[in-house]
């Protein structure tokens, strides 16, 4: 399909969608399902991001190969120079030993000392000191007489000559290897240049589509919100029609002691506390408490309200703020998600009911997100990535479901301890950058044993999510599979993976290794980088022998290639790829510079404080950087620029500053070090003086003080 036709279809679908969402948000009748064209376009933004991820993975593969070749060439060049220097020194030593032997031989000849050396050896020894050896060769006494000292020197000279020849040959071989490595690096450099051009063209082609897809995504979210509300209103209408008055929460706590006319609601044969059922005209109607219904109604009243970090309303809401408002005045939630978990009774995931508080996180990360449950695997939550309170799918990193109407837990519930990285996963959003801090990072398969297969983000019906969530590495069955970095093992056997090893590396980082033919580790085992954990196979949903490798942050799968390339990576924000954020999702800070809107607001506050101190605004040279510009910079400066798709400039949360801040130890730099963090801006450790890459000018939007 050509580009013009694709855009035409998307625009046509956009028009159809507007007609659908024009329905009143609180219509009496349920909102009908959107037409097929709208359902189809639901993947338009996802598809664009899948295409971007595939392009970025392909480019990352090329740059990884180029970077490795460049390092190999540098190492080969260093080895060649060292070998050549060693050979030169050896040649000088051999020449000196031979010269000494010549002098001793000539002296022995003059003195008539007996020799046991042969004619050829003597001629060779005299070559450096006698231009005409015929006279010496004719003298048999010089051939047959020489002492043991001269014999010893002869042997030393011969050994030195032999070593010199060996080292010269070795130096020649290493020089050839260095030349070959340099040629390979040069060839790969040309490939990177071509890939850069292709990637820039592909991303430029997507830029116009992104604005349309972003608008479609927003409208589709509105449709989803309305459909969830319509289903809820249908339930309330059902209660009214059945003349059921929702009882107080206290009356539903014990399924064995329910009010007359109500029976326990069961799930998998087990009574569900806090909810009941009633038989109406041969149908079973679920009966929830009045307090629960009120909480869900209040949660729906917040849908569409803008997101704000730690905001509690009435204009903006953070994730905890929205959940807290939903359950007031029945109960007031604590001020941290980790404090909510110990206060309310947890219920099995199979028994989740509307109104339940869902807390997300992990043992290594802590609890980072909270929502109010609905039916259909959905919840209402303030979502930083979407910028508002929305109806969304319950994420994979659901830690527990809590039912406030059941009161305090029967047994102590201890929340997992949060880490310093927990803020980066707040309210449905993953961190914009993540540095691997758990030791060395290596590839999951040994060099030379694999190919690069299906990339992250590729779409297809063979995957339950519609998108490929990892990176495939085709390799023979039995090929060694290694842990990429240190962590704690969990062994699983899901149908899709057959045999799966999941490694928790701490701070929200996990890696997954699927389709294994053999597992060589056990649950709870601590492993190190490069340790064998299993072997390549084709178990589960697989079309052939390969390793399916995933990297997950806060429960969300992210593109593994940047991690493999650098040992660290930037990850998703707002549903967009790095460097592929539409202008409509960014905010200006002056001078044509753009940042993510929360970073922009914080930057303007920082600049105002800076101006009050120095009498001028912050001097800025770089802010949001598109993927195409990252590619261009990398193509020109591969040894200095970040791998495209990993720069925080591509998330709109990094700036490069000037005006004195670009030099260490100036008054301006020291002021930034002392005050920038107050506004959420930090100088990353790698950019510090003495860091891995000294850049006093580079600052990033980190943990806002209000979070």
């Amino acid at each position: 399909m050509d580009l013009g036709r694709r855009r035409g279809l998307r625009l046509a679908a956009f028009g159809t969608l507007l007609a659908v969402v024009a329905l009143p948000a609180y219509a009496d009748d349920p909102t009908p399902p959107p037409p097929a064209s709208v359902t189809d376009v639901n993947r338009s933004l996802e598809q664009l991001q899948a295409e971007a991820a595939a392009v970025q993975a392909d480019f990352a593969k090329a740059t990884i190969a180029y970077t490795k070749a460049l390092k190999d060439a540098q190492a080969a060049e260093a080895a060649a120079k060292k070998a050549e220097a060693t050979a030169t020194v050896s040649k000088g030593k051999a020449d000196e030993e031979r010269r000494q032997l010549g002098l001793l031989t000539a002296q022995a000849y003059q003195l008539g000392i007996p020799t046991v050396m042969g004619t050829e050896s003597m001629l060779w020894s005299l070559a450096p000191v006698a231009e005409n050896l015929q006279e010496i060769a004719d003298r048999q006494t010089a051939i047959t007489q020489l002492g043991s000292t001269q014999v010893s020197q002869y042997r030393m000279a011969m050994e030195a000559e032999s070593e010199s020849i060996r080292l010269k040959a070795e130096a020649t071989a290493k020089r050839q290897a260095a030349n070959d490595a340099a040629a390979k690096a040069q060839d790969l450099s040309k490939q990177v240049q071509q890939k850069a051009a292709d990637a820039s063209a592909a991303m430029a082609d997507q830029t116009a589509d992104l604005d349309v897809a972003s608008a479609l995504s927003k409208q589709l979210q509105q449709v989803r919100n309305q459909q969830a509300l319509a289903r809820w209103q249908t339930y309330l209408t059902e209660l009214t029609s059945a003349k059921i008055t929702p009882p107080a929460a206290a009356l539903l706590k014990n399924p064995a002691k329910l009010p007359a006319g109500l029976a326990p609601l069961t799930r998998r044969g087990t009574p569900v506390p806090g909810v009941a059922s009633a038989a109406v005209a041969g149908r079973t109607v679920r009966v929830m408490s009045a307090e629960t219904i009120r909480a869900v109604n209040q949660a729906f009243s917040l849908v569409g309200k803008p997101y704000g970090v730690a905001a509690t309303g009435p204009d903006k809401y953070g994730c905890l703020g929205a959940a807290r408002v939903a359950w007031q005045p029945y109960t007031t939630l604590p001020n941290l998600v980790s404090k909510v978990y110990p206060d309310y009774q947890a219920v099995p995931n199979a028994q989740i009911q509307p109104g339940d508080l869902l807390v997300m996180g992990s043992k290594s990360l802590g609890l980072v997100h909270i929502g109010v449950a609905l039916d259909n695997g959905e919840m209402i939550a303030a979502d930083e990535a979407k910028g508002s309170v929305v109806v969304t799918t319950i994420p994979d990193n659901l830690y527990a479901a809590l039912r406030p109407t059941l009161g305090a837990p029967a047994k102590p519930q201890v929340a997992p301890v949060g880490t310093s990285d927990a803020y980066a996963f707040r309210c449905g959003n993953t961190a914009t950058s993540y540095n691997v801090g758990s030791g060395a990072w290596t590839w999951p398969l040994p060099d030379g044993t694999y190919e690069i297969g299906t990339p992250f983000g590729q779409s297809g019906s063979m995957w339950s999510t519609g998108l490929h969530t990892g990176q495939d590495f085709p390799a023979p069955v039995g090929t060694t599979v290694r842990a990429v970095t240190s962590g704690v093992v969990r062994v699983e056997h899901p149908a899709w993976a057959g045999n799966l090893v999941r490694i928790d590396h701490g701070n929200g980082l996990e890696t997954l290794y699927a389709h294994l033919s053999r597992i060589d580790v056990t649950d709870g085992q601590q492993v190190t980088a490069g340790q064998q954990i299993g072997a390549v196979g084709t178990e589960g949903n697989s079309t052939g022998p390969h390793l399916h490798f995933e990297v997950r942050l806060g429960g969300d799968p992210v593109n593994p290639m940047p991690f493999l390339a650098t040992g660290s990576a930037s990850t998703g924000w707002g549903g967009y790829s790095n460097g592929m954020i539409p202008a409509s999702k960014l905010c200006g800070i002056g001078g044509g510079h753009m940042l993510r809107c929360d970073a922009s607001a914080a930057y303007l506050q920082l600049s105002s404080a800076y101006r009050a101190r120095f009498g001028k605004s912050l001097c800025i040279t770089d802010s949001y950087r598109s993927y195409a510009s990252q590619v261009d910079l990398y193509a020109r400066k591969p040894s200095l620029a970040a791998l495209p798709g990993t720069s925080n400039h591509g998330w709109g949360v990094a700036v490069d500053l000037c005006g004195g801040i670009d030099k260490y130890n100036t008054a301006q730099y020291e002021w930034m070090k002392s005050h920038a963090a107050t506004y959420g801006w930090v100088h990353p450790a790698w950019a510090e003086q003495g860091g891995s890459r000294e850049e006093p000018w580079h600052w990033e939007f980190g943990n806002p003080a209000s979070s």
Side-chain angles (χ1 to χ4, degrees):
M1 183 185 293
D2 61 66
L3 176 61
R5 187 180 174 200
R6 279 193 290 119
R7 287 179 176 166
L9 286 175
R10 287 172 180 160
L11 290 169
F14 184 52
T16 305
L17 178 60
L18 291 177
V20 172
V21 299
L23 292 171
Y26 295 91
D28 292 335
D29 296 327
T31 304
S37 59
V38 177
T39 304
D40 292 343
V41 86
N42 185 40
R43 289 175 56 197
S44 62
L45 180 60
E46 293 178 347
Q47 185 60 44
L48 283 172
Q49 298 316 310
E51 293 170 8
V55 170
Q56 293 183 7
D58 184 56
F59 186 71
K61 180 176 69 173
T63 53
I64 289 168
Y66 170 59
T67 302
K68 184 177 185 301
L70 198 60
K71 290 180 179 179
D72 289 346
Q74 292 169 345
E77 177 65 22
K81 287 183 176 179
K82 181 178 179 180
E84 288 167 345
T86 302
T88 298
V89 171
S90 179
K91 180 65 166 60
K93 180 180 179 181
D95 288 346
E96 175 60 22
E97 295 290 353
R98 187 176 175 185
R99 191 182 70 83
Q100 290 293 333
L101 177 59
L103 292 174
L104 287 173
T105 304
Q107 184 180 21
Y109 168 75
Q110 293 169 357
L111 297 176
I113 298 174
T115 181
V116 294
M117 291 167 52
T119 305
E120 293 181 0
S121 300
M122 192 169 116
L123 293 177
W124 176 85
S125 70
L126 291 171
V129 292
E131 294 182 1
N132 186 351
L133 301 177
Q134 186 60 45
E135 180 181 354
I136 300 175
D138 290 340
R139 298 287 299 273
Q140 289 300 312
T141 55
I143 296 173
T144 58
Q145 294 180 354
L146 193 63
S148 60
T149 301
Q150 286 72 37
V151 173
S152 175
Q153 182 63 39
Y154 168 72
R155 289 173 179 167
M156 289 173 60
M158 287 293 290
E159 289 172 359
E161 179 75 4
S162 176
E163 179 67 4
S164 176
I165 292 171
R166 186 187 69 79
L167 290 174
K168 182 177 180 180
E170 183 178 300
T172 300
K174 289 188 175 181
R175 170 51 57 193
Q176 184 60 49
N179 292 342
D180 292 344
K184 180 180 179 180
Q186 182 63 29
D187 181 59
L188 288 173
S189 175
K190 293 177 182 177
Q191 291 183 31
V192 167
Q193 296 285 346
Q194 184 59 53
K195 291 282 188 183
D198 294 343
S200 294
M203 293 306 179
D205 179 54
Q206 284 195 356
T207 301
D209 289 349
L210 270 173
D211 286 318
V212 175
S214 180
L216 283 171
S217 180
K218 183 177 181 180
Q219 299 299 328
L220 285 164
Q221 181 63 62
Q222 292 176 1
V223 169
R224 183 175 191 176
N225 295 345
Q226 291 174 17
Q227 290 176 332
L229 175 63
R231 287 191 292 269
W232 176 248
Q233 290 177 330
T234 297
Y235 167 71
L236 297 181
T237 300
E238 186 179 31
L239 287 180
T240 301
S241 300
K243 298 181 180 180
I244 296 175
T245 300
L251 299 177
L252 300 181
K253 279 188 176 182
N254 187 349
K257 297 180 180 181
L258 296 173
L262 297 181
L265 180 75
T266 60
R267 290 288 181 268
R268 299 180 182 178
T270 303
V272 180
V275 64
S277 66
V280 179
R283 295 181 298 110
T284 299
V285 177
R286 179 175 54 189
V287 180
M288 288 183 278
S289 70
E291 292 86 345
T292 299
I293 290 175
R294 177 189 174 93
V296 177
N297 284 339
Q298 291 192 155
F300 268 113
S301 74
L302 302 180
V303 171
K305 294 284 188 179
Y307 172 85
V309 176
T312 57
D315 300 321
K316 295 181 178 181
Y317 292 88
C319 56
L320 186 57
R324 175 181 285 179
V325 168
W327 272 99
Q328 286 176 333
Y330 178 74
T331 185
T332 299
L333 304 184
N335 60 353
L336 292 174
V337 178
S338 60
K339 293 182 178 180
V340 174
Y341 178 66
D343 286 356
Y344 300 97
Q345 178 64 52
V347 296
N349 289 353
Q351 296 185 7
I352 291 175
Q353 299 293 316
D356 288 347
L357 293 172
L358 306 179
V359 291
M360 276 63 70
S362 67
K363 290 182 179 180
S364 66
L365 181 65
L367 300 179
V368 296
H369 191 18
I370 188 170
V372 177
L374 301 174
D375 286 323
N376 300 317
E378 293 182 323
M379 68 178 185
I380 295 174
D383 193 310
E384 181 176 13
K386 298 181 184 299
S388 63
V389 181
V390 296
V391 174
T392 186
T393 301
I394 298 174
D396 289 341
N397 64 337
L398 173 65
Y399 186 81
L402 311 173
R403 189 159 298 154
T405 57
L406 297 182
K411 297 179 180 179
Q413 296 173 178
V414 180
V417 178
T419 69
S420 60
D421 286 316
Y423 79 88
F425 298 90
R426 62 181 183 263
C427 298
N429 199 17
T430 55
T432 51
S433 66
Y434 196 99
N435 292 319
V436 177
S438 52
W441 183 276
T442 188
W443 283 65
L445 298 171
D447 289 346
T449 65
Y450 61 88
E451 298 176 0
I452 304 293
T454 305
F456 173 86
Q458 182 167 310
S459 61
S461 59
M462 67 182 72
W463 301 296
S464 60
T465 62
L467 299 171
H468 193 228
T469 54
Q471 174 67 53
D472 285 350
F473 296 97
V477 171
T479 302
T480 295
V481 175
R482 311 179 299 189
V484 294
T485 190
S486 60
V488 178
V489 166
R490 191 163 86 235
V491 175
E492 300 176 359
H493 302 280
W496 70 271
N499 294 320
L500 174 73
V501 170
R502 182 192 296 261
I503 302 180
D504 186 342
H505 306 288
N507 297 338
L509 173 67
E510 288 183 307
T511 52
L512 282 69
Y513 312 75
H515 310 306
L516 302 178
S517 62
R518 187 183 73 248
I519 293 177
D520 299 330
V521 287
T522 58
D523 268 332
Q525 182 177 340
Q526 177 74 42
V527 294
T528 58
Q531 182 173 335
Q532 182 170 324
I533 59 173
V536 169
T538 184
E539 305 299 314
N541 180 22
S542 172
T543 57
H546 72 284
L547 171 69
H548 172 89
F549 174 69
E550 288 192 23
V551 174
R552 293 191 179 187
L553 287 176
D556 296 327
V558 297
N559 190 350
M561 291 302 276
F563 274 91
L564 295 175
T566 64
S568 63
S570 300
T571 59
W573 171 79
Y576 302 101
S577 297
N578 185 288
M580 294 298 294
I581 303 175
S584 61
K585 296 294 183 181
L586 299 170
C587 292
I589 55 175
H593 290 285
M594 307 283 283
L595 290 173
R596 199 174 76 185
C597 291
D598 55 345
S600 170
Y603 176 87
L604 292 174
Q605 291 177 339
L606 173 63
S607 184
S608 177
Y610 182 87
R611 184 168 54 250
R613 168 62 179 84
F614 293 100
K616 59 180 67 175
S617 298
L618 286 170
C619 173
I620 182 170
T621 61
D622 201 6
S623 54
Y624 171 69
R625 191 180 295 161
S626 70
Y627 185 77
S629 64
Q630 292 179 54
V631 169
D632 177 67
L633 180 62
Y634 185 87
R636 290 185 287 109
K637 301 177 180 179
S639 61
L640 297 177
L643 179 72
T646 69
S647 171
N648 271 345
H649 284 287
W651 294 121
V653 292
V655 293
D656 289 344
L657 302 177
C658 47
I661 299 173
D662 52 339
K663 296 180 179 63
Y664 294 112
N665 304 320
T666 63
Q668 293 86 350
Y669 175 82
E670 293 299 333
W671 185 91
M672 284 288 291
K673 288 285 291 181
S674 298
H675 297 87
T678 303
Y679 304 93
W681 286 88
V682 297
H683 194 229
W686 58 261
E688 296 277 6
Q689 195 164 18
S692 60
R693 197 167 74 244
E694 295 185 346
E695 293 187 6
W697 56 83
H698 183 89
W699 295 76
E700 297 179 354
F701 185 61
N703 186 3
S706 60
S707 69

